[in-house]
Amino acid sequence: MNTPIYILGIESSCDDTSAAVICDAKVLSNVVANQEVHSKYGGVVPELASRAHQQNIVPVVQQALVQANIAKEQLSGIAFTRGPGLMGSLLVGTSFAKSLALGLDIPLLDVNHMQAHILAHFIKDEDSKTPTFPFICLTISGGHTQIVKVTNHFEMEILGETIDDAVGEAFDKSAKILGLPYPGGPLIDKYAALGNPKAYKFTKPKVGDLDFSFSGLKTGILYFIQKQVKLNPDFIKENLHDICASIQFTIVEILMEKLKNVVKLTGIKHIAIAGGVSANSAIRSRLQLAEKHFGWTTYIPKFEYTTDNAAMIALTGYLKYINNDYADISITAKARLKVTE
């Protein structure tokens, strides 16, 4: 009988401290401590984020072990986010993981945060379906917008990416223009459900078939709002739902166009989404429609695995563990890390 493999995952790339325990690709616990401190600044403050990680990491790891109902001595390995992310935040998780792995004398497993978002699809859940290789993954978050071809767990190729801003930033900046609190992306999604997506037309950027650009769209939205508010100071308040629906419709159209292009180019019809923005309801429903319309097979992650979480870090660590792909204790955090590294 095989001995169960328990992996503790630690995620501290941005402003959420998370720890998770998995046993052979099944999640036993996934604890996330959010940092409320950033909302009043309208964005993440790196220095405050790393301080909050230092306060949160011990209780969060403790909680993850308690919920998983295992002792730390039963762990087979410690997985942690090496990058990409905020350097100060990454250092907290890296140092903690190293110390714990040394103390328990078990393997240390370094994880690429962006790979982990994609590999979250391989978490074993009751009703989840696992992607078939090769598949295309649209990775969409506050810092990334990429089309990635995934040939196996650790062989990935970027086919297209944003030449300027990420899609999550486009949502958050648009929300800021409308005077909505940070993070504004989920609020746009919420209000869009009540509005008319064809109420206002925004120009889509002209870039390569598989590349993205969102800076021009953000500027277009800003100028449109400024112009309308000059004519009617209550314009935003009176039309908030329609504005949000039109912004969201435009962004989702851009994403879907690129996916259609990549399917045409590669012939791969297995399509997954990953990253924080994959929680967006319009993107999820459009992908489900694409299954019917284009004969794609789509993979949509559970909500709890879309935002930054340690379950995906633990799962990636588990895949590395079974391949004996351990990290050396001298490994360092890396703020900039490509999905292919």
Side-chain angles (χ1 to χ4, degrees), residues 241-278:
H241 297 159
D242 284 351
I243 301 166
C244 288
S246 302
I247 291 170
Q248 180 155 287
F249 176 77
T250 309
I251 291 174
V252 175
E253 278 291 292
I254 293 167
L255 297 176
M256 290 305 295
E257 258 170 41
K258 302 297 178 179
L259 282 178
K260 284 181 214 165
N261 291 345
V262 79
V263 171
K264 206 180 286 177
L265 200 78
T266 62
I268 298 168
K269 289 190 171 187
H270 288 264
I271 308 291
I273 51 169
V277 181
S278 63

Short mmCIF file of all heavy atoms in Angstrom, two decimals, residues 241-278:
data_model
loop_
_atom_site.label_atom_id
_atom_site.label_comp_id
_atom_site.label_asym_id
_atom_site.label_seq_id
_atom_site.Cartn_x
_atom_site.Cartn_y
_atom_site.Cartn_z
N HIS A 241 -24.90 50.89 -14.13
CA HIS A 241 -25.05 49.50 -14.56
C HIS A 241 -24.74 49.32 -16.04
O HIS A 241 -24.06 48.38 -16.44
CB HIS A 241 -26.46 48.99 -14.23
CG HIS A 241 -26.75 48.98 -12.75
ND1 HIS A 241 -28.02 48.97 -12.24
CD2 HIS A 241 -25.91 48.99 -11.68
CE1 HIS A 241 -27.96 48.97 -10.91
NE2 HIS A 241 -26.69 48.99 -10.55
N ASP A 242 -25.23 50.27 -16.85
CA ASP A 242 -24.98 50.19 -18.30
C ASP A 242 -23.49 50.40 -18.61
O ASP A 242 -22.94 49.74 -19.50
CB ASP A 242 -25.82 51.23 -19.05
CG ASP A 242 -27.28 50.83 -19.17
OD1 ASP A 242 -27.59 49.67 -18.81
OD2 ASP A 242 -28.11 51.64 -19.61
N ILE A 243 -22.86 51.33 -17.89
CA ILE A 243 -21.42 51.59 -18.13
C ILE A 243 -20.62 50.33 -17.80
O ILE A 243 -19.78 49.87 -18.59
CB ILE A 243 -20.89 52.78 -17.28
CG1 ILE A 243 -21.66 54.07 -17.56
CG2 ILE A 243 -19.39 53.01 -17.53
CD1 ILE A 243 -21.44 55.19 -16.54
N CYS A 244 -20.89 49.73 -16.62
CA CYS A 244 -20.17 48.52 -16.20
C CYS A 244 -20.40 47.37 -17.19
O CYS A 244 -19.46 46.66 -17.56
CB CYS A 244 -20.60 48.09 -14.80
SG CYS A 244 -19.98 49.19 -13.51
N ALA A 245 -21.65 47.22 -17.64
CA ALA A 245 -21.98 46.14 -18.58
C ALA A 245 -21.25 46.34 -19.91
O ALA A 245 -20.74 45.37 -20.50
CB ALA A 245 -23.48 46.09 -18.81
N SER A 246 -21.14 47.59 -20.36
CA SER A 246 -20.48 47.88 -21.64
C SER A 246 -18.97 47.67 -21.55
O SER A 246 -18.35 47.15 -22.48
CB SER A 246 -20.78 49.32 -22.08
OG SER A 246 -22.18 49.51 -22.20
N ILE A 247 -18.38 48.07 -20.41
CA ILE A 247 -16.94 47.86 -20.20
C ILE A 247 -16.64 46.36 -20.18
O ILE A 247 -15.75 45.87 -20.87
CB ILE A 247 -16.46 48.54 -18.89
CG1 ILE A 247 -16.49 50.06 -19.02
CG2 ILE A 247 -15.04 48.06 -18.50
CD1 ILE A 247 -16.26 50.82 -17.71
N GLN A 248 -17.42 45.64 -19.38
CA GLN A 248 -17.20 44.19 -19.25
C GLN A 248 -17.40 43.48 -20.59
O GLN A 248 -16.60 42.60 -20.95
CB GLN A 248 -18.15 43.61 -18.19
CG GLN A 248 -17.96 42.11 -18.01
CD GLN A 248 -18.41 41.67 -16.63
OE1 GLN A 248 -17.74 41.93 -15.63
NE2 GLN A 248 -19.52 40.99 -16.56
N PHE A 249 -18.43 43.87 -21.33
CA PHE A 249 -18.71 43.25 -22.63
C PHE A 249 -17.51 43.42 -23.56
O PHE A 249 -17.08 42.47 -24.23
CB PHE A 249 -19.97 43.88 -23.25
CG PHE A 249 -20.27 43.38 -24.64
CD1 PHE A 249 -20.86 42.13 -24.83
CD2 PHE A 249 -19.96 44.14 -25.76
CE1 PHE A 249 -21.13 41.66 -26.10
CE2 PHE A 249 -20.24 43.67 -27.04
CZ PHE A 249 -20.83 42.43 -27.21
N THR A 250 -16.96 44.64 -23.60
CA THR A 250 -15.81 44.92 -24.48
C THR A 250 -14.61 44.07 -24.10
O THR A 250 -13.96 43.48 -24.97
CB THR A 250 -15.44 46.43 -24.39
OG1 THR A 250 -16.62 47.20 -24.60
CG2 THR A 250 -14.40 46.80 -25.43
N ILE A 251 -14.30 44.01 -22.80
CA ILE A 251 -13.13 43.24 -22.34
C ILE A 251 -13.30 41.75 -22.66
O ILE A 251 -12.38 41.10 -23.17
CB ILE A 251 -12.88 43.47 -20.83
CG1 ILE A 251 -12.40 44.92 -20.60
CG2 ILE A 251 -11.84 42.49 -20.28
CD1 ILE A 251 -12.25 45.32 -19.14
N VAL A 252 -14.49 41.22 -22.39
CA VAL A 252 -14.73 39.79 -22.64
C VAL A 252 -14.68 39.49 -24.15
O VAL A 252 -14.15 38.46 -24.56
CB VAL A 252 -16.06 39.33 -22.01
CG1 VAL A 252 -16.38 37.89 -22.37
CG2 VAL A 252 -15.99 39.47 -20.48
N GLU A 253 -15.19 40.42 -24.97
CA GLU A 253 -15.11 40.26 -26.43
C GLU A 253 -13.65 40.14 -26.89
O GLU A 253 -13.31 39.31 -27.72
CB GLU A 253 -15.75 41.48 -27.12
CG GLU A 253 -17.25 41.41 -27.23
CD GLU A 253 -17.72 40.33 -28.19
OE1 GLU A 253 -17.50 40.46 -29.40
OE2 GLU A 253 -18.30 39.34 -27.71
N ILE A 254 -12.78 41.00 -26.31
CA ILE A 254 -11.35 40.98 -26.67
C ILE A 254 -10.76 39.60 -26.34
O ILE A 254 -10.09 38.99 -27.16
CB ILE A 254 -10.58 42.10 -25.93
CG1 ILE A 254 -11.02 43.49 -26.43
CG2 ILE A 254 -9.07 41.93 -26.07
CD1 ILE A 254 -10.54 44.67 -25.55
N LEU A 255 -11.05 39.12 -25.13
CA LEU A 255 -10.51 37.82 -24.69
C LEU A 255 -11.01 36.68 -25.58
O LEU A 255 -10.23 35.81 -25.99
CB LEU A 255 -10.88 37.55 -23.22
CG LEU A 255 -10.34 38.52 -22.17
CD1 LEU A 255 -10.89 38.17 -20.79
CD2 LEU A 255 -8.81 38.52 -22.13
N MET A 256 -12.30 36.69 -25.90
CA MET A 256 -12.88 35.61 -26.70
C MET A 256 -12.35 35.61 -28.13
O MET A 256 -12.11 34.56 -28.72
CB MET A 256 -14.41 35.70 -26.71
CG MET A 256 -15.07 35.37 -25.38
SD MET A 256 -14.63 33.74 -24.70
CE MET A 256 -15.34 32.63 -25.90
N GLU A 257 -12.14 36.81 -28.69
CA GLU A 257 -11.58 36.92 -30.04
C GLU A 257 -10.21 36.25 -30.12
O GLU A 257 -9.91 35.52 -31.07
CB GLU A 257 -11.42 38.40 -30.43
CG GLU A 257 -12.51 38.89 -31.35
CD GLU A 257 -12.45 40.40 -31.52
OE1 GLU A 257 -11.33 40.95 -31.63
OE2 GLU A 257 -13.53 41.03 -31.53
N LYS A 258 -9.38 36.51 -29.10
CA LYS A 258 -8.03 35.94 -29.08
C LYS A 258 -8.08 34.42 -28.94
O LYS A 258 -7.28 33.71 -29.54
CB LYS A 258 -7.20 36.53 -27.93
CG LYS A 258 -7.07 38.06 -27.98
CD LYS A 258 -6.34 38.52 -29.22
CE LYS A 258 -6.27 40.04 -29.27
NZ LYS A 258 -5.55 40.53 -30.44
N LEU A 259 -9.02 33.93 -28.13
CA LEU A 259 -9.15 32.48 -27.98
C LEU A 259 -9.58 31.83 -29.29
O LEU A 259 -9.07 30.77 -29.66
CB LEU A 259 -10.15 32.14 -26.86
CG LEU A 259 -9.62 32.29 -25.43
CD1 LEU A 259 -10.72 31.97 -24.42
CD2 LEU A 259 -8.40 31.39 -25.17
N LYS A 260 -10.49 32.48 -30.00
CA LYS A 260 -10.91 31.94 -31.31
C LYS A 260 -9.71 31.88 -32.26
O LYS A 260 -9.53 30.91 -32.99
CB LYS A 260 -12.02 32.82 -31.92
CG LYS A 260 -13.38 32.62 -31.28
CD LYS A 260 -14.41 33.51 -31.96
CE LYS A 260 -15.45 33.99 -30.98
NZ LYS A 260 -16.25 35.10 -31.47
N ASN A 261 -8.88 32.94 -32.22
CA ASN A 261 -7.69 32.98 -33.08
C ASN A 261 -6.72 31.84 -32.76
O ASN A 261 -6.16 31.23 -33.65
CB ASN A 261 -6.95 34.32 -32.91
CG ASN A 261 -7.73 35.49 -33.49
OD1 ASN A 261 -8.67 35.29 -34.24
ND2 ASN A 261 -7.34 36.70 -33.14
N VAL A 262 -6.53 31.58 -31.45
CA VAL A 262 -5.54 30.56 -31.07
C VAL A 262 -6.04 29.16 -31.43
O VAL A 262 -5.25 28.29 -31.82
CB VAL A 262 -5.14 30.67 -29.58
CG1 VAL A 262 -6.16 30.07 -28.64
CG2 VAL A 262 -3.79 29.98 -29.34
N VAL A 263 -7.35 28.94 -31.35
CA VAL A 263 -7.91 27.64 -31.75
C VAL A 263 -7.71 27.43 -33.25
O VAL A 263 -7.31 26.36 -33.70
CB VAL A 263 -9.41 27.52 -31.36
CG1 VAL A 263 -10.04 26.29 -31.96
CG2 VAL A 263 -9.56 27.51 -29.84
N LYS A 264 -7.96 28.50 -34.01
CA LYS A 264 -7.78 28.44 -35.48
C LYS A 264 -6.32 28.14 -35.82
O LYS A 264 -6.02 27.33 -36.69
CB LYS A 264 -8.19 29.80 -36.08
CG LYS A 264 -8.65 29.71 -37.53
CD LYS A 264 -9.05 31.06 -38.08
CE LYS A 264 -10.38 31.57 -37.54
NZ LYS A 264 -10.70 32.92 -38.05
N LEU A 265 -5.42 28.76 -35.08
CA LEU A 265 -3.99 28.64 -35.36
C LEU A 265 -3.40 27.29 -34.95
O LEU A 265 -2.59 26.72 -35.67
CB LEU A 265 -3.24 29.76 -34.61
CG LEU A 265 -1.85 30.11 -35.11
CD1 LEU A 265 -1.92 30.97 -36.36
CD2 LEU A 265 -1.08 30.85 -34.02
N THR A 266 -3.84 26.78 -33.79
CA THR A 266 -3.23 25.55 -33.25
C THR A 266 -4.07 24.30 -33.47
O THR A 266 -3.56 23.18 -33.41
CB THR A 266 -3.01 25.67 -31.72
OG1 THR A 266 -4.29 25.84 -31.09
CG2 THR A 266 -2.11 26.85 -31.37
N GLY A 267 -5.37 24.49 -33.67
CA GLY A 267 -6.26 23.34 -33.80
C GLY A 267 -6.60 22.70 -32.45
O GLY A 267 -7.31 21.70 -32.37
N ILE A 268 -6.08 23.28 -31.36
CA ILE A 268 -6.36 22.74 -30.02
C ILE A 268 -7.70 23.29 -29.52
O ILE A 268 -7.89 24.51 -29.46
CB ILE A 268 -5.22 23.10 -29.03
CG1 ILE A 268 -3.89 22.49 -29.49
CG2 ILE A 268 -5.56 22.64 -27.60
CD1 ILE A 268 -2.66 23.01 -28.75
N LYS A 269 -8.60 22.38 -29.17
CA LYS A 269 -9.95 22.83 -28.74
C LYS A 269 -10.20 22.61 -27.26
O LYS A 269 -11.33 22.72 -26.80
CB LYS A 269 -11.01 22.11 -29.58
CG LYS A 269 -11.06 22.59 -31.03
CD LYS A 269 -12.26 22.03 -31.75
CE LYS A 269 -12.43 22.66 -33.12
NZ LYS A 269 -13.68 22.24 -33.76
N HIS A 270 -9.16 22.26 -26.52
CA HIS A 270 -9.28 22.14 -25.07
C HIS A 270 -8.82 23.48 -24.48
O HIS A 270 -7.65 23.82 -24.57
CB HIS A 270 -8.43 20.99 -24.54
CG HIS A 270 -9.00 19.65 -24.89
ND1 HIS A 270 -9.80 18.93 -24.02
CD2 HIS A 270 -8.93 18.91 -26.02
CE1 HIS A 270 -10.19 17.81 -24.60
NE2 HIS A 270 -9.68 17.77 -25.82
N ILE A 271 -9.75 24.22 -23.89
CA ILE A 271 -9.47 25.59 -23.45
C ILE A 271 -9.74 25.74 -21.94
O ILE A 271 -10.84 25.44 -21.47
CB ILE A 271 -10.36 26.62 -24.21
CG1 ILE A 271 -10.26 26.42 -25.73
CG2 ILE A 271 -9.99 28.05 -23.80
CD1 ILE A 271 -8.93 26.76 -26.37
N ALA A 272 -8.73 26.22 -21.22
CA ALA A 272 -8.88 26.45 -19.77
C ALA A 272 -8.66 27.93 -19.48
O ALA A 272 -8.04 28.65 -20.27
CB ALA A 272 -7.85 25.62 -19.01
N ILE A 273 -9.19 28.38 -18.34
CA ILE A 273 -8.87 29.73 -17.86
C ILE A 273 -8.30 29.60 -16.46
O ILE A 273 -8.60 28.65 -15.73
CB ILE A 273 -10.10 30.69 -17.86
CG1 ILE A 273 -11.31 30.06 -17.16
CG2 ILE A 273 -10.43 31.16 -19.25
CD1 ILE A 273 -12.45 31.03 -16.90
N ALA A 274 -7.47 30.56 -16.10
CA ALA A 274 -6.85 30.54 -14.76
C ALA A 274 -6.52 31.96 -14.34
O ALA A 274 -6.45 32.87 -15.16
CB ALA A 274 -5.56 29.70 -14.81
N GLY A 275 -6.32 32.16 -13.02
CA GLY A 275 -5.99 33.48 -12.50
C GLY A 275 -7.21 34.19 -11.94
O GLY A 275 -8.35 33.77 -12.18
N GLY A 276 -6.96 35.26 -11.20
CA GLY A 276 -8.02 35.97 -10.47
C GLY A 276 -9.21 36.40 -11.30
O GLY A 276 -10.36 36.32 -10.87
N VAL A 277 -8.95 36.86 -12.55
CA VAL A 277 -10.05 37.38 -13.38
C VAL A 277 -10.92 36.23 -13.93
O VAL A 277 -12.02 36.46 -14.40
CB VAL A 277 -9.49 38.29 -14.51
CG1 VAL A 277 -10.59 38.86 -15.38
CG2 VAL A 277 -8.68 39.44 -13.90
N SER A 278 -10.44 34.98 -13.80
CA SER A 278 -11.27 33.86 -14.27
C SER A 278 -12.48 33.63 -13.35
O SER A 278 -13.32 32.80 -13.62
CB SER A 278 -10.44 32.58 -14.44
OG SER A 278 -9.92 32.15 -13.22
#
